[in-house]
Amino acid sequence: MSSVRVHNFSVSLDGFAAGEGQQLDAPFGHAGMRLMEWAFGTRTFRAMEIHGEPGGSVGVDEAFASAWNVDVGVEIMGRNKFGPYRGPWNDEEWKGWWGDDPVFHTPVVVLTHHSRPTLQMAGGTTFHFVDAEPSTALEQARELAGGRDVRIGGGADTIRQFLAADLIDRMHIVLVPILLGRGERLWEGFDGLEDSFDIEAVPSPSGVIHLTFTRRS
Amino acid sequence: MSSVRVHNFSVSLDGFAAGEGQQLDAPFGHAGMRLMEWAFGTRTFRAMEIHGEPGGSVGVDEAFASAWNVDVGVEIMGRNKFGPYRGPWNDEEWKGWWGDDPVFHTPVVVLTHHSRPTLQMAGGTTFHFVDAEPSTALEQARELAGGRDVRIGGGADTIRQFLAADLIDRMHIVLVPILLGRGERLWEGFDGLEDSFDIEAVPSPSGVIHLTFTRRS
């Protein structure tokens, strides 16, 4: 069975994966881009079309960053990783935060209670809008993945749902040494999660701490 | 001016410094002793009278653990680090969790709204029960410290008060890779605390991550 994985998911020291007040021009709300700064310097993120710059660091941040798409055949994301809008889709012309040629290059399952036709983008990304529980969404995602792994792309609420349903095999969480004070918490509940996962911590010269969670067999 | 310091203060990955349901036989509530296990193996903690065993580790956990009392002349603690009882002191015969010969060997200021005579213990520890705001309590503590440093001993609420009053110079926080799900949070508010402190992270083979916060001058 293919693995279900989380990669490059940043959390502040006080546990927030996003700030308050997500908007079109502020995907992380009042947090700005502080949670992702560690990544922007890496070769992997600079090479993505959305940034499009050559070069970049090749140390431990890059080692982790570069793993995000290896053997991944599909991403599952929450609606708020696609765009800031809630409720019915009023503007289907707007095709999400990810531009005309999104970085995924695979099918992407967007979890939403509001239906919308599948969006075929350039570069191999297709957005499928799915209203389903985690286990059903995972089944659908696996059908799209062609035997490859499934990435749970976030946000925090989506990861929490898949964790609560006991569907995640491995996670790479990046602890960023900042405090946000408010926003969306990754950890709610999960008392004793360490019993189900081996947890490693690796600090980076950039200041962040890479945490890996590997499900115990 | 002497420094105001926090040492060996453990927090779970989800940000809790204690579990729920503190009681006489459960100082950390449902967390049990999981938050402090990293410390019990160290030479410093084993040498404390309360544990009283020889030997112990001498690696990075010990390096941090052993710093807790160096040049410290007084501790300030919240009432719930002294004992689990709330409200007026009904049983003054009970002299706290710390035994007849407490580990501090210095004056200790216990913050409480309920007055109680100073308690002189064996080994140089005296508990002074003080009803005061952080800045006033700190002044009193400094008078007792004989020019040496002031340790803020916790719990979380006490550290939060001193942080909010901008009175802390350095902190050693131990991030323990467990999730508690509920309890007492260390971090409430403090958006942008990283602007005031240099933060370093050092992982230990024991699995914990030692974080140091050093106030920027």
PDB file of all heavy atoms in Angstrom, chain A residues 192-216:
ATOM      1  N   GLY A 192      -0.780  11.644  23.615  1.00  0.00           N
ATOM      2  CA  GLY A 192      -0.072  10.373  23.450  1.00  0.00           C
ATOM      3  C   GLY A 192       0.259   9.994  22.018  1.00  0.00           C
ATOM      4  O   GLY A 192       0.610   8.846  21.754  1.00  0.00           O
ATOM      5  N   LEU A 193       0.213  10.952  21.099  1.00  0.00           N
ATOM      6  CA  LEU A 193       0.535  10.661  19.694  1.00  0.00           C
ATOM      7  C   LEU A 193       1.914  10.017  19.550  1.00  0.00           C
ATOM      8  O   LEU A 193       2.155   9.222  18.636  1.00  0.00           O
ATOM      9  CB  LEU A 193       0.479  11.958  18.864  1.00  0.00           C
ATOM     10  CG  LEU A 193       0.604  11.797  17.343  1.00  0.00           C
ATOM     11  CD1 LEU A 193      -0.646  11.145  16.764  1.00  0.00           C
ATOM     12  CD2 LEU A 193       0.868  13.140  16.651  1.00  0.00           C
ATOM     13  N   GLU A 194       2.809  10.333  20.495  1.00  0.00           N
ATOM     14  CA  GLU A 194       4.181   9.792  20.418  1.00  0.00           C
ATOM     15  C   GLU A 194       4.206   8.270  20.576  1.00  0.00           C
ATOM     16  O   GLU A 194       5.212   7.638  20.250  1.00  0.00           O
ATOM     17  CB  GLU A 194       5.080  10.453  21.466  1.00  0.00           C
ATOM     18  CG  GLU A 194       4.772  10.088  22.924  1.00  0.00           C
ATOM     19  CD  GLU A 194       3.648  10.927  23.534  1.00  0.00           C
ATOM     20  OE1 GLU A 194       2.971  11.668  22.787  1.00  0.00           O
ATOM     21  OE2 GLU A 194       3.456  10.826  24.759  1.00  0.00           O
ATOM     22  N   ASP A 195       3.119   7.687  21.071  1.00  0.00           N
ATOM     23  CA  ASP A 195       3.081   6.225  21.165  1.00  0.00           C
ATOM     24  C   ASP A 195       2.940   5.577  19.787  1.00  0.00           C
ATOM     25  O   ASP A 195       3.276   4.406  19.613  1.00  0.00           O
ATOM     26  CB  ASP A 195       1.922   5.769  22.056  1.00  0.00           C
ATOM     27  CG  ASP A 195       2.120   6.200  23.496  1.00  0.00           C
ATOM     28  OD1 ASP A 195       3.287   6.423  23.895  1.00  0.00           O
ATOM     29  OD2 ASP A 195       1.121   6.323  24.218  1.00  0.00           O
ATOM     30  N   SER A 196       2.422   6.321  18.827  1.00  0.00           N
ATOM     31  CA  SER A 196       2.198   5.769  17.483  1.00  0.00           C
ATOM     32  C   SER A 196       3.303   6.105  16.495  1.00  0.00           C
ATOM     33  O   SER A 196       3.357   5.539  15.411  1.00  0.00           O
ATOM     34  CB  SER A 196       0.877   6.300  16.909  1.00  0.00           C
ATOM     35  OG  SER A 196      -0.187   6.047  17.794  1.00  0.00           O
ATOM     36  N   PHE A 197       4.169   7.047  16.860  1.00  0.00           N
ATOM     37  CA  PHE A 197       5.191   7.503  15.921  1.00  0.00           C
ATOM     38  C   PHE A 197       6.566   7.562  16.586  1.00  0.00           C
ATOM     39  O   PHE A 197       6.677   7.936  17.751  1.00  0.00           O
ATOM     40  CB  PHE A 197       4.864   8.910  15.402  1.00  0.00           C
ATOM     41  CG  PHE A 197       3.677   8.974  14.484  1.00  0.00           C
ATOM     42  CD1 PHE A 197       2.401   9.173  14.994  1.00  0.00           C
ATOM     43  CD2 PHE A 197       3.822   8.831  13.114  1.00  0.00           C
ATOM     44  CE1 PHE A 197       1.296   9.237  14.157  1.00  0.00           C
ATOM     45  CE2 PHE A 197       2.725   8.883  12.272  1.00  0.00           C
ATOM     46  CZ  PHE A 197       1.456   9.091  12.787  1.00  0.00           C
ATOM     47  N   ASP A 198       7.592   7.199  15.818  1.00  0.00           N
ATOM     48  CA  ASP A 198       8.949   7.539  16.230  1.00  0.00           C
ATOM     49  C   ASP A 198       9.204   8.966  15.789  1.00  0.00           C
ATOM     50  O   ASP A 198       8.936   9.324  14.634  1.00  0.00           O
ATOM     51  CB  ASP A 198       9.956   6.596  15.572  1.00  0.00           C
ATOM     52  CG  ASP A 198       9.870   5.191  16.156  1.00  0.00           C
ATOM     53  OD1 ASP A 198       9.736   5.077  17.387  1.00  0.00           O
ATOM     54  OD2 ASP A 198       9.928   4.224  15.381  1.00  0.00           O
ATOM     55  N   ILE A 199       9.710   9.775  16.693  1.00  0.00           N
ATOM     56  CA  ILE A 199       9.897  11.194  16.414  1.00  0.00           C
ATOM     57  C   ILE A 199      11.380  11.535  16.476  1.00  0.00           C
ATOM     58  O   ILE A 199      12.051  11.186  17.448  1.00  0.00           O
ATOM     59  CB  ILE A 199       9.107  12.062  17.421  1.00  0.00           C
ATOM     60  CG1 ILE A 199       7.623  11.656  17.417  1.00  0.00           C
ATOM     61  CG2 ILE A 199       9.277  13.546  17.107  1.00  0.00           C
ATOM     62  CD1 ILE A 199       6.787  12.346  18.480  1.00  0.00           C
ATOM     63  N   GLU A 200      11.880  12.166  15.427  1.00  0.00           N
ATOM     64  CA  GLU A 200      13.267  12.643  15.420  1.00  0.00           C
ATOM     65  C   GLU A 200      13.262  14.147  15.272  1.00  0.00           C
ATOM     66  O   GLU A 200      12.380  14.720  14.630  1.00  0.00           O
ATOM     67  CB  GLU A 200      14.048  12.057  14.232  1.00  0.00           C
ATOM     68  CG  GLU A 200      14.505  10.633  14.412  1.00  0.00           C
ATOM     69  CD  GLU A 200      15.377  10.173  13.248  1.00  0.00           C
ATOM     70  OE1 GLU A 200      16.032  11.016  12.605  1.00  0.00           O
ATOM     71  OE2 GLU A 200      15.380   8.966  12.971  1.00  0.00           O
ATOM     72  N   ALA A 201      14.291  14.793  15.831  1.00  0.00           N
ATOM     73  CA  ALA A 201      14.436  16.243  15.719  1.00  0.00           C
ATOM     74  C   ALA A 201      15.822  16.579  15.197  1.00  0.00           C
ATOM     75  O   ALA A 201      16.808  16.064  15.700  1.00  0.00           O
ATOM     76  CB  ALA A 201      14.232  16.907  17.075  1.00  0.00           C
ATOM     77  N   VAL A 202      15.871  17.419  14.174  1.00  0.00           N
ATOM     78  CA  VAL A 202      17.146  17.847  13.598  1.00  0.00           C
ATOM     79  C   VAL A 202      17.119  19.359  13.439  1.00  0.00           C
ATOM     80  O   VAL A 202      16.282  19.891  12.699  1.00  0.00           O
ATOM     81  CB  VAL A 202      17.375  17.213  12.209  1.00  0.00           C
ATOM     82  CG1 VAL A 202      18.700  17.691  11.621  1.00  0.00           C
ATOM     83  CG2 VAL A 202      17.352  15.707  12.298  1.00  0.00           C
ATOM     84  N   PRO A 203      18.020  20.069  14.110  1.00  0.00           N
ATOM     85  CA  PRO A 203      18.039  21.515  13.958  1.00  0.00           C
ATOM     86  C   PRO A 203      18.784  21.913  12.698  1.00  0.00           C
ATOM     87  O   PRO A 203      19.703  21.212  12.273  1.00  0.00           O
ATOM     88  CB  PRO A 203      18.793  21.993  15.190  1.00  0.00           C
ATOM     89  CG  PRO A 203      19.751  20.887  15.477  1.00  0.00           C
ATOM     90  CD  PRO A 203      19.084  19.603  15.027  1.00  0.00           C
ATOM     91  N   SER A 204      18.397  23.007  12.120  1.00  0.00           N
ATOM     92  CA  SER A 204      19.071  23.537  10.931  1.00  0.00           C
ATOM     93  C   SER A 204      19.788  24.832  11.303  1.00  0.00           C
ATOM     94  O   SER A 204      19.313  25.579  12.156  1.00  0.00           O
ATOM     95  CB  SER A 204      18.037  23.831   9.847  1.00  0.00           C
ATOM     96  OG  SER A 204      18.589  24.702   8.891  1.00  0.00           O
ATOM     97  N   PRO A 205      20.907  25.111  10.620  1.00  0.00           N
ATOM     98  CA  PRO A 205      21.570  26.411  10.817  1.00  0.00           C
ATOM     99  C   PRO A 205      20.634  27.594  10.536  1.00  0.00           C
ATOM    100  O   PRO A 205      20.858  28.683  11.032  1.00  0.00           O
ATOM    101  CB  PRO A 205      22.716  26.378   9.806  1.00  0.00           C
ATOM    102  CG  PRO A 205      23.007  24.925   9.587  1.00  0.00           C
ATOM    103  CD  PRO A 205      21.680  24.231   9.711  1.00  0.00           C
ATOM    104  N   SER A 206      19.575  27.354   9.781  1.00  0.00           N
ATOM    105  CA  SER A 206      18.631  28.446   9.522  1.00  0.00           C
ATOM    106  C   SER A 206      17.808  28.785  10.748  1.00  0.00           C
ATOM    107  O   SER A 206      17.085  29.778  10.762  1.00  0.00           O
ATOM    108  CB  SER A 206      17.687  28.063   8.379  1.00  0.00           C
ATOM    109  OG  SER A 206      16.794  27.036   8.800  1.00  0.00           O
ATOM    110  N   GLY A 207      17.877  27.943  11.775  1.00  0.00           N
ATOM    111  CA  GLY A 207      17.146  28.216  13.009  1.00  0.00           C
ATOM    112  C   GLY A 207      15.935  27.334  13.207  1.00  0.00           C
ATOM    113  O   GLY A 207      15.446  27.194  14.326  1.00  0.00           O
ATOM    114  N   VAL A 208      15.431  26.740  12.125  1.00  0.00           N
ATOM    115  CA  VAL A 208      14.260  25.879  12.288  1.00  0.00           C
ATOM    116  C   VAL A 208      14.683  24.500  12.785  1.00  0.00           C
ATOM    117  O   VAL A 208      15.862  24.137  12.737  1.00  0.00           O
ATOM    118  CB  VAL A 208      13.457  25.731  10.975  1.00  0.00           C
ATOM    119  CG1 VAL A 208      13.062  27.099  10.439  1.00  0.00           C
ATOM    120  CG2 VAL A 208      14.226  24.928   9.936  1.00  0.00           C
ATOM    121  N   ILE A 209      13.718  23.745  13.248  1.00  0.00           N
ATOM    122  CA  ILE A 209      13.953  22.368  13.698  1.00  0.00           C
ATOM    123  C   ILE A 209      13.082  21.450  12.848  1.00  0.00           C
ATOM    124  O   ILE A 209      11.858  21.624  12.795  1.00  0.00           O
ATOM    125  CB  ILE A 209      13.568  22.201  15.180  1.00  0.00           C
ATOM    126  CG1 ILE A 209      14.349  23.182  16.046  1.00  0.00           C
ATOM    127  CG2 ILE A 209      13.800  20.757  15.631  1.00  0.00           C
ATOM    128  CD1 ILE A 209      13.645  23.511  17.350  1.00  0.00           C
ATOM    129  N   HIS A 210      13.730  20.522  12.167  1.00  0.00           N
ATOM    130  CA  HIS A 210      12.968  19.563  11.365  1.00  0.00           C
ATOM    131  C   HIS A 210      12.563  18.383  12.256  1.00  0.00           C
ATOM    132  O   HIS A 210      13.414  17.730  12.854  1.00  0.00           O
ATOM    133  CB  HIS A 210      13.805  19.066  10.191  1.00  0.00           C
ATOM    134  CG  HIS A 210      14.152  20.151   9.223  1.00  0.00           C
ATOM    135  ND1 HIS A 210      13.257  20.608   8.278  1.00  0.00           N
ATOM    136  CD2 HIS A 210      15.268  20.898   9.075  1.00  0.00           C
ATOM    137  CE1 HIS A 210      13.835  21.582   7.575  1.00  0.00           C
ATOM    138  NE2 HIS A 210      15.057  21.777   8.038  1.00  0.00           N
ATOM    139  N   LEU A 211      11.276  18.138  12.331  1.00  0.00           N
ATOM    140  CA  LEU A 211      10.755  17.001  13.085  1.00  0.00           C
ATOM    141  C   LEU A 211      10.233  15.972  12.099  1.00  0.00           C
ATOM    142  O   LEU A 211       9.508  16.319  11.161  1.00  0.00           O
ATOM    143  CB  LEU A 211       9.601  17.432  13.991  1.00  0.00           C
ATOM    144  CG  LEU A 211       9.904  18.453  15.082  1.00  0.00           C
ATOM    145  CD1 LEU A 211       8.601  18.895  15.751  1.00  0.00           C
ATOM    146  CD2 LEU A 211      10.845  17.866  16.130  1.00  0.00           C
ATOM    147  N   THR A 212      10.612  14.715  12.300  1.00  0.00           N
ATOM    148  CA  THR A 212      10.008  13.664  11.484  1.00  0.00           C
ATOM    149  C   THR A 212       9.249  12.712  12.388  1.00  0.00           C
ATOM    150  O   THR A 212       9.701  12.329  13.461  1.00  0.00           O
ATOM    151  CB  THR A 212      11.062  12.887  10.682  1.00  0.00           C
ATOM    152  OG1 THR A 212      12.045  12.361  11.581  1.00  0.00           O
ATOM    153  CG2 THR A 212      11.744  13.782   9.664  1.00  0.00           C
ATOM    154  N   PHE A 213       8.070  12.365  11.942  1.00  0.00           N
ATOM    155  CA  PHE A 213       7.208  11.397  12.623  1.00  0.00           C
ATOM    156  C   PHE A 213       7.090  10.178  11.704  1.00  0.00           C
ATOM    157  O   PHE A 213       6.614  10.312  10.571  1.00  0.00           O
ATOM    158  CB  PHE A 213       5.802  11.966  12.826  1.00  0.00           C
ATOM    159  CG  PHE A 213       5.721  13.108  13.807  1.00  0.00           C
ATOM    160  CD1 PHE A 213       6.315  14.325  13.528  1.00  0.00           C
ATOM    161  CD2 PHE A 213       5.024  12.967  14.997  1.00  0.00           C
ATOM    162  CE1 PHE A 213       6.225  15.387  14.428  1.00  0.00           C
ATOM    163  CE2 PHE A 213       4.925  14.018  15.894  1.00  0.00           C
ATOM    164  CZ  PHE A 213       5.525  15.230  15.615  1.00  0.00           C
ATOM    165  N   THR A 214       7.514   9.035  12.166  1.00  0.00           N
ATOM    166  CA  THR A 214       7.421   7.811  11.384  1.00  0.00           C
ATOM    167  C   THR A 214       6.548   6.821  12.142  1.00  0.00           C
ATOM    168  O   THR A 214       6.840   6.479  13.289  1.00  0.00           O
ATOM    169  CB  THR A 214       8.821   7.184  11.172  1.00  0.00           C
ATOM    170  OG1 THR A 214       9.715   8.203  10.713  1.00  0.00           O
ATOM    171  CG2 THR A 214       8.753   6.045  10.164  1.00  0.00           C
ATOM    172  N   ARG A 215       5.490   6.396  11.507  1.00  0.00           N
ATOM    173  CA  ARG A 215       4.560   5.487  12.184  1.00  0.00           C
ATOM    174  C   ARG A 215       5.278   4.206  12.607  1.00  0.00           C
ATOM    175  O   ARG A 215       6.030   3.616  11.840  1.00  0.00           O
ATOM    176  CB  ARG A 215       3.410   5.117  11.256  1.00  0.00           C
ATOM    177  CG  ARG A 215       2.499   4.029  11.809  1.00  0.00           C
ATOM    178  CD  ARG A 215       1.417   3.697  10.837  1.00  0.00           C
ATOM    179  NE  ARG A 215       0.485   4.808  10.746  1.00  0.00           N
ATOM    180  CZ  ARG A 215      -0.422   5.080  11.689  1.00  0.00           C
ATOM    181  NH1 ARG A 215      -0.520   4.331  12.766  1.00  0.00           N
ATOM    182  NH2 ARG A 215      -1.233   6.090  11.530  1.00  0.00           N
ATOM    183  N   ARG A 216       5.049   3.815  13.844  1.00  0.00           N
ATOM    184  CA  ARG A 216       5.606   2.536  14.315  1.00  0.00           C
ATOM    185  C   ARG A 216       4.844   1.393  13.687  1.00  0.00           C
ATOM    186  O   ARG A 216       3.619   1.442  13.585  1.00  0.00           O
ATOM    187  CB  ARG A 216       5.490   2.438  15.834  1.00  0.00           C
ATOM    188  CG  ARG A 216       6.345   3.481  16.491  1.00  0.00           C
ATOM    189  CD  ARG A 216       6.515   3.211  17.980  1.00  0.00           C
ATOM    190  NE  ARG A 216       7.400   4.226  18.529  1.00  0.00           N
ATOM    191  CZ  ARG A 216       7.332   4.722  19.755  1.00  0.00           C
ATOM    192  NH1 ARG A 216       6.418   4.264  20.588  1.00  0.00           N
ATOM    193  NH2 ARG A 216       8.178   5.640  20.154  1.00  0.00           N
TER     194      ARG A 216
END
